[in-house]
């Protein structure tokens, strides 16, 4: 199919850039570039178009997946991992209901305890970088992970200023968190980020 590893590596780079396109226009542009560059590889672009692009692009390309709230979970890996754990604990398909219930209950209790421990950590441990007054209303109420996402978005704010079109509001849509242009407004006014700006989940 490819003459050498370099050709395959170049194809994978192009395909990866298609898969991570953040807008439909960018997706189409990159896909057309890929078609032009690798159109001579027999069946490749037809396979990509017919098997992946036409059927599944809305399920894995950020241009589409970032239009819905997914809290950063864009793969089924967590579900597959949980399924694998259950299968491992069940042992075989002949297990009775009482044993199944006991196993599932035990796994859920462990998961619940881990979540509680994570929340406890978020309540009691505040990293130095979140002592800024901007985070005052969020400290102790929002997980460390969410604070980090907000901080990362705040750092991106210098590029977008107060312009929502340049911002894209991706984190607002996907995570229910204030995006760069919203954070810039709080920073400009000098007010803490309101707790109400954070999605309840």
């Amino acid at each position: 199919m490819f003459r050498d590893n370099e050709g395959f590596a170049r194809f994978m780079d192009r395909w990866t850039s298609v898969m991570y396109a953040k807008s439909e226009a960018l997706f189409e542009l990159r896909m057309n570039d890929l078609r032009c560059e690798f159109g001579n590889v027999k069946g490749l672009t037809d396979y990509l178009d017919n098997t992946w692009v036409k059927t599944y692009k809305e399920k894995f390309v950020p241009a589409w997946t970032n239009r819905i709230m997914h809290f950063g979970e864009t793969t089924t890996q967590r579900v597959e991992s949980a399924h694998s754990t259950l299968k491992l604990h069940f042992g075989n398909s002949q297990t009775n209901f009482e044993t199944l219930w006991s196993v599932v209950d035990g796994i859920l209790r462990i998961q619940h305890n881990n979540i509680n421990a994570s929340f406890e950590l978020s309540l009691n441990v505040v990293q130095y970088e979140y002592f800024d007054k901007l985070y005052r209303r969020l400290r102790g109420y929002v997980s460390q992970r969410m604070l980090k996402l907000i901080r990362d978005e705040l750092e991106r704010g210098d590029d977008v200023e107060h312009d929502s079109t340049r911002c894209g509001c991706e984190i607002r849509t996907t995570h229910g968190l204030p995006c760069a242009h919203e954070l810039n407004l709080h920073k400009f006014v000098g007010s803490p980020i309101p707790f109400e700006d954070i999605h309840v989940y």
Side-chain angles (χ1 to χ4, degrees):
M1 185 175 254
F2 294 98
R3 291 181 185 167
D4 53 25
N5 288 342
E6 188 178 305
F8 178 72
R10 201 170 64 252
F11 163 73
M12 288 306 295
D13 284 345
R14 289 277 193 262
W15 178 240
T16 300
S17 74
V18 168
M19 289 191 303
Y20 288 98
K22 291 197 172 207
S23 71
E24 288 183 50
L26 189 58
F27 173 83
E28 290 301 331
L29 178 71
R30 289 177 177 175
M31 194 62 205
N32 286 334
D33 287 348
L34 185 142
R35 286 184 189 109
C36 289
E37 187 172 348
F38 296 99
N40 62 340
V41 179
K42 187 177 179 185
L44 178 64
T45 56
D46 287 340
Y47 168 76
L48 292 175
D49 282 330
N50 296 328
T51 305
W52 292 103
V53 174
K54 288 179 184 172
T55 310
Y56 296 111
K57 68 182 176 192
E58 291 89 0
K59 296 182 182 351
F60 69 91
V61 178
W64 288 274
T65 61
N66 285 346
R67 293 180 183 172
I68 59 167
M69 191 169 294
H70 53 64
F71 301 106
E73 298 299 331
T74 57
T75 69
T76 58
Q77 183 177 355
R78 292 183 99 177
V79 174
E80 290 167 12
S81 175
H83 182 249
S84 175
T85 301
L86 283 173
K87 283 174 60 176
L88 182 69
H89 283 83
F90 289 161
N92 63 51
S93 61
Q94 303 300 314
T95 307
N96 65 36
F97 181 75
E98 186 178 352
T99 304
L100 291 176
W101 180 262
S102 174
V103 168
V104 171
D105 183 59
I107 290 171
L108 290 176
R109 286 180 190 277
I110 289 170
Q111 188 177 34
H112 186 258
N113 289 340
N114 289 341
I115 291 169
N116 282 340
S118 170
F119 283 150
E120 198 66 34
L121 183 69
S122 293
L123 287 172
N124 296 316
V125 177
V126 178
Q127 296 175 358
Y128 175 76
E129 57 212 331
Y130 304 122
F131 277 106
D132 186 293
K133 74 175 184 176
L134 206 57
Y135 300 100
R136 188 180 77 223
R137 293 184 183 159
L138 305 181
R139 287 191 303 260
Y141 296 101
V142 177
S143 72
Q144 296 285 334
R145 180 173 176 252
M146 293 303 113
L147 286 173
K148 182 186 180 319
L149 288 171
I150 292 169
R151 186 194 70 214
D152 293 347
E153 194 69 5
L154 194 58
E155 289 173 3
R156 196 175 73 84
D158 293 337
D159 297 333
V160 300
E161 297 174 348
H162 302 289
D163 185 357
S164 63
T165 56
R166 286 175 55 199
C167 175
C169 306
E170 187 178 301
I171 198 99
R172 168 61 70 201
T173 305
T174 60
H175 289 75
L177 297 174
C179 56
H181 85 277
E182 294 173 313
L183 292 169
N184 274 345
L185 184 60
H186 293 299
K187 191 175 175 182
F188 179 75
V189 173
S191 66
I193 302 164
F195 186 69
E196 296 76 30
D197 278 7
I198 310 297
H199 192 279
V200 294
Y201 293 106

